[in-house]
Amino acid sequence: MSEVLSDMEKEGYWIKAGPGYNPKYRSTVWSLILLAQLGGSASEDKRIAQASSYILDHMAEGSQFTSTTSGAPSGTIDCLQGNLLWSLMELGCKDPRLDKAYEWMARTVTGQGIAPMEGKDAAIHYYAYKCGPAFACGVNDKLPCAWGGVKVMLALSKLPQHRQTPLIKKAIQQGVEFFFGIEPATAKYPTRNENKPNRAWWNFGFPVFYVTDLLQLTEAMVNLGYGKDRRLANTINLILEKQNREGQWLLEYDYTGKTWIDFGKKKQPNKWVTLRALRVLRAAD
């Protein structure tokens, strides 16, 4: 963690000032996500608090995190919004601006009070990437993107009950119905050109950025209270079957050489992946 923080600029950003999506995977967005997965805490390190405030300062006007360098809301997308909201909550950020960012995200799931992307005169409308309800994404040919949806559900799972408005509860329920609409272990969620599910679903890794895996999907469902739901049973069994004889899990997907730190050799037992798996299984039981 110290290596990541040592490269932060005093204003609270990494590499390049602004919304911080590029360059991957060392800019502000990815550094904050990484710090959250490493167990960082805003209350224990003022640099993390500074970075959390900085990324919120660079949200678009409608409380969207954005991938554009200009800060325009058109760069909003489920995986980015979900990843950063989960990360900020995990880091212990208590900024009231989080509530509006959560409200935007929940509206994009339910469609409540949000106009189609063609309705650009409306105060709140969809955009080219975040193009419709139920995790619809322009990158996925306007079909629901399960990768982005997992990030949204993971972020929603961080909200305590007393902060879950009726809108947020509706978004959670719709998300649960989407992910349990098929057998999760098959990962047969909509893909452009009716392609087969990406193999990354079954390749557990660390860190986890916009690519996701069944372990993270299970984490979101377990955190939302579905750990003992029979619809999750096959996925939990799949996680258990990937454990080796020494009780470890392998690093199957990685970002070696792409982010600030390397986290082990691919296809070898890995403490970070093992920690992810054990946390999920413990929470499920």
Side-chain angles (χ1 to χ4, degrees):
M1 197 181 309
S2 61
E3 292 182 44
V4 182
L5 288 167
S6 66
D7 284 284
M8 189 188 90
E9 301 294 334
K10 63 180 181 179
E11 292 85 355
Y13 68 87
W14 283 262
I15 305 294
K16 186 178 180 180
Y21 189 81
N22 288 311
K24 298 173 184 174
Y25 291 95
R26 287 182 167 87
S27 59
T28 310
V29 165
W30 313 105
S31 295
L32 277 170
I33 296 170
L34 179 57
L35 286 170
Q37 293 181 25
L38 290 174
S41 170
S43 63
E44 294 178 7
D45 195 310
K46 64 181 181 181
R47 292 172 295 179
I48 293 177
Q50 175 68 20
S52 299
S53 180
Y54 184 91
I55 198 75
L56 287 166
D57 288 343
H58 286 81
M59 281 193 301
E61 187 176 350
S63 299
Q64 304 97 346
F65 296 108
T66 177
S67 61
T68 64
T69 56
S70 65
S74 57
T76 185
I77 192 168
D78 278 336
C79 52
L80 176 60
Q81 193 80 6
N83 261 333
L84 282 178
L85 283 177
W86 175 85
S87 298
L88 291 170
M89 292 290 288
E90 187 73 8
L91 291 167
C93 178
K94 301 186 184 301
D95 196 297
R97 289 176 290 182
L98 289 175
D99 291 333
K100 289 186 177 180
Y102 263 101
E103 180 182 335
W104 158 258
M105 187 172 69
R107 286 190 187 283
T108 67
V109 177
T110 67
Q112 183 176 328
I114 184 166
M117 64 178 181
E118 295 81 9
K120 296 182 179 179
D121 293 335
I124 303 176
H125 60 85
Y126 288 110
Y127 297 91
Y129 290 148
K130 180 59 264 175
C131 62
F135 313 125
C137 180
V139 179
N140 199 35
D141 285 350
K142 300 183 180 180
L143 297 168
C145 175
W147 278 4
V150 168
K151 312 301 182 180
V152 170
M153 297 301 286
L154 196 64
L156 291 171
S157 78
K158 291 295 295 182
L159 275 180
Q161 286 284 335
H162 71 274
R163 290 179 62 183
Q164 292 180 13
T165 64
L167 174 65
I168 286 172
K169 289 180 179 178
K170 184 177 180 181
I172 291 172
Q173 187 56 45
Q174 288 189 204
V176 170
E177 291 171 1
F178 171 77
F179 281 106
F180 283 155
I182 67 157
E183 167 55 62
T186 69
K188 289 183 178 179
Y189 298 107
T191 58
R192 54 188 176 186
N193 302 321
E194 298 183 356
N195 293 331
K196 293 180 180 179
N198 194 301
R199 290 303 308 171
W201 280 107
W202 295 275
N203 292 336
F204 297 172
F206 191 89
V208 186
F209 290 138
Y210 67 81
V211 174
T212 195
D213 55 30
L214 288 174
L215 190 52
Q216 192 172 56
L217 168 57
T218 306
E219 180 184 357
M221 294 297 104
V222 167
N223 289 351
L224 287 166
Y226 292 90
K228 295 187 180 299
D229 193 296
R230 59 178 177 78
R231 295 169 293 182
L232 200 60
N234 289 338
T235 310
I236 289 177
N237 286 336
L238 184 151
I239 294 169
L240 286 165
E241 289 167 2
K242 289 172 73 71
Q243 187 180 30
N244 68 15
R245 292 181 179 180
E246 288 72 40
Q248 305 160 314
W249 280 260
L250 307 186
L251 179 67
E252 300 170 308
Y253 193 98
D254 71 335
Y255 290 86
T256 298
K258 297 179 181 179
T259 188
W260 296 108
I261 314 166
D262 293 338
F263 294 93
K265 293 182 179 180
K266 204 169 182 180
K267 298 184 179 180
Q268 295 296 315
N270 186 270
K271 63 181 181 180
W272 297 101
V273 179
T274 298
L275 180 60
R276 289 185 63 209
L278 290 176
R279 282 176 170 170
V280 168
L281 293 172
R282 181 178 180 182
D285 190 9

